[in-house]
Amino acid sequence: MKMIPHSRPSLSRNDRAAVAKVLCSGQIAKSREAEALEGAFERVFSFVSAFAVPSGTAALHLALLALRVGPGDEVIIPTHVCTALLNAVRYTGAQEVLVDVGEDGNIDPGCVKRAMTRRTKAVIAAHMWGAPADMKALVKLGVPVIEDCAQAIGASIEGKQVGTFGVLSVFSFYATKMITSGEGGLIGSGDRQLMSRARDLADYDHQRTYEMRFNYKITDMQAALALSQFRCLERFVCSRRRMAARYACFFPSLLPLTEGAEPVFYRYVVRTAKNAERVIKGAKAKKVFIERPLFRSLHQYLGQKGFPVSDALMSSCVSLPFYPSLTAVEEKRVIDVARSLL
Ligand SMILES: *Cc1c(COP(=O)(O)O)cnc(C)c1O
C-alpha cells in the first residue's frame, strides 16, 4: 500500500505553465511577477503596499524591523508555535516574552495583557491550524499586533479576512501551507510608512546611503507560482471545508473558539485520550502519516514552565493528513486508520 503523507501540495498544469513562462522569459529575479503577486494581495487585503519575500520568517523579521523593534525591547509571542517566530524576534536583538494559548491553540489575549510591560514593542498573533485568533481582543490591548497568517490565509472573523486586523501582516508560501511557491512569503500593511521601511530594508542595492540591510527578495519563478496558487485559494478553502465536514462525522476538530471565526482548516487537529505518540507510531506502521501538530512548543525548547494549556495540547493532539490533493480512496484510509487508533 502506498504511504499517505501528512502534507502534499496541490500543483496544477497552470502552476507549471506559470513557472515555465518565467523561465522562458529570462527575467527570473524579482520583477513583474512579484509585482503582480503584490498587487493581488494589495487588492484582496486592502493593503496600501505589499512586498513579496523569500519566506514567512523573512516577512516576520521585516515586520519587527519596520516597527523599529531592537535590543532592549520585548515582543510577546505565543509559546504554541514553530520556532520561526522566536527566531525573528531574536534576529532583531529584542527579548521574546512567551505566553500561553487558549484551548484552540491560539494566543490568549488575557495572558498577553498580563505579560505587557513598558518595554513591550509588539505582539505576534499567529492564526493556528487555520483558525483566527481573537484579533478584536488583541487589538484592544493597544500594542501593535503583527498578524501571522502563514496557516490561515482565506480565514475570516465575521466576514472580515485575517490579515486585515493587525498593523502589519505576514504570509508564508512554504510547501505545506495553504498556497505554496516551495519557499516564499509576503508582508503587507495599510500603513505606508511601515511598508516603506520594510521595503527599504529588504533590498540592499541602489540605496543612496548605507544602512545594514538584507536581501529579502523573492524570485519571479516563486512569485509566478505563488500568484497562480493564490488564484486557487477559494477553491482550496472550499475543498478543505467540505473535507472538514466529512472528517467531523468521526472526529470533532479542535477548531475554532473565536466568536464569528470562519476557519480554513489548514490542519485537522484532534484531541485524543490515548497516548499521542502511540497513535502516531500506530498510523505510521500502516503508512499513514499522522503527526504532532507542533513538533515542540517554544517554552519546551527554552526550558520554561507555566504554560498549562499548551502542555495539555502538546500531549493530547494529533494532526491527520488533510489537504485538497487527498483522493477519496486515501481519505477513507486516513479515516479508517485514525478511527482504529483514536
Ligand atoms: C510556516 C510558518 C512560519 C514560517 O514561515 P516560513 O516560510 O517557513 O519561514 C511562521 N509562522 C507560522 C505560524 C507558520 O506556520
Side-chain angles (χ1 to χ4, degrees):
M1 233 176 319
K2 263 180 79 175
M3 74 111 164
I4 301 180
H6 184 243
S7 298
R8 186 167 61 205
S10 300
L11 298 168
S12 68
R13 193 190 319 178
N14 284 346
D15 293 333
R16 291 191 288 276
V19 178
K21 195 180 121 202
V22 176
L23 280 172
C24 294
S25 79
Q27 172 62 60
I28 57 177
K30 188 170 196 279
S31 181
R32 278 195 299 273
E33 295 293 334
E35 269 168 41
L37 173 68
E38 291 161 356
F41 271 73
E42 285 164 2
R43 280 191 300 281
V44 169
F45 294 93
S46 305
F47 293 142
V48 297
S49 170
F51 190 86
V53 293
S55 70
T57 304
L60 280 170
H61 186 199
L62 284 177
L64 292 167
L65 293 175
L67 290 168
R68 299 188 184 273
V69 169
D73 296 329
E74 292 174 356
V75 178
I76 299 176
I77 57 176
T79 185
H80 206 71
V81 292
C82 61
T83 52
L85 282 80
L86 177 60
N87 287 333
V89 173
R90 292 203 171 178
Y91 293 166
T92 69
Q95 173 69 48
E96 77 284 349
V97 176
L98 306 185
V99 296
D100 208 354
V101 292
E103 298 287 336
D104 61 347
N106 274 325
I107 188 166
D108 181 333
C111 294
V112 174
K113 194 170 180 186
R114 285 192 290 282
M116 280 165 56
T117 71
R118 281 209 326 275
R119 292 169 184 257
T120 306
K121 240 349 203 334
V123 177
I124 306 177
H127 305 291
M128 294 306 283
W129 328 135
D134 189 350
M135 288 309 298
K136 282 200 219 153
L138 290 167
V139 167
K140 262 196 214 138
L141 297 174
V143 180
V145 182
I146 296 168
E147 246 185 291
D148 182 342
C149 307
Q151 303 191 357
I153 183 170
S156 55
I157 305 170
E158 286 164 2
K160 190 167 152 47
Q161 290 208 75
V162 303
T164 60
F165 293 90
V167 60
L168 286 149
S169 295
V170 302
F171 301 83
S172 165
F173 310 134
Y174 178 59
T176 64
K177 304 292 161 101
M178 294 289 296
I179 58 172
T180 183
S181 55
E183 299 277 2
L186 182 136
I187 174 170
S189 173
D191 186 314
R192 197 173 299 279
Q193 243 174 337
L194 291 178
M195 279 309 296
S196 117
R197 179 153 173 80
R199 280 172 176 275
D200 177 84
L201 290 169
D203 190 350
Y204 64 83
D205 211 4
H206 301 110
Q207 300 275 10
R208 277 190 336 124
T209 55
Y210 178 77
E211 185 177 349
M212 189 185 77
R213 292 184 174 90
F214 302 87
N215 181 1
Y216 278 166
K217 302 188 304 300
I218 201 168
T219 68
D220 251 19
M221 292 165 293
Q222 291 166 310
L225 182 50
L227 180 58
S228 177
Q229 288 259 303
F230 188 45
R231 293 192 174 118
C232 302
L233 178 61
E234 237 179 83
R235 194 154 49 75
F236 290 162
V237 171
C238 284
S239 150
R240 283 174 179 276
R241 285 182 177 150
R242 280 198 302 269
M243 193 179 286
R246 295 194 296 270
Y247 274 41
C249 299
F250 305 100
F251 329 101
S253 157
L254 195 65
L255 313 178
L257 283 184
T258 298
E259 217 183 298
E262 291 146 277
V264 289
F265 296 96
Y266 166 63
R267 293 285 188 226
Y268 200 89
V269 178
V270 296
R271 273 190 118 139
T272 168
K274 304 266 178 67
N275 180 303
E277 208 52 54
R278 208 166 304 152
V279 171
I280 291 164
K281 278 219 181 93
K284 196 172 278 174
K286 294 177 181 170
K287 292 190 166 183
V288 172
F289 282 72
I290 293 174
E291 301 276 5
R292 291 181 169 286
L294 187 66
F295 189 67
R296 291 187 82 187
S297 62
L298 298 184
H299 74 271
Q300 289 179 335
Y301 276 115
L302 299 178
Q304 296 179 14
K305 294 216 153 55
F307 305 87
V309 182
S310 171
D311 285 338
L313 292 173
M314 283 304 293
S315 59
S316 67
C317 286
V318 293
S319 170
L320 307 181
F322 189 88
Y323 34 86
S325 65
L326 202 66
T327 66
V329 174
E330 289 174 323
E331 182 181 318
K332 184 170 182 311
R333 234 178 92 208
V334 171
I335 290 173
D336 288 347
V337 166
R339 283 182 77 189
S340 72
L341 292 164
L342 295 169

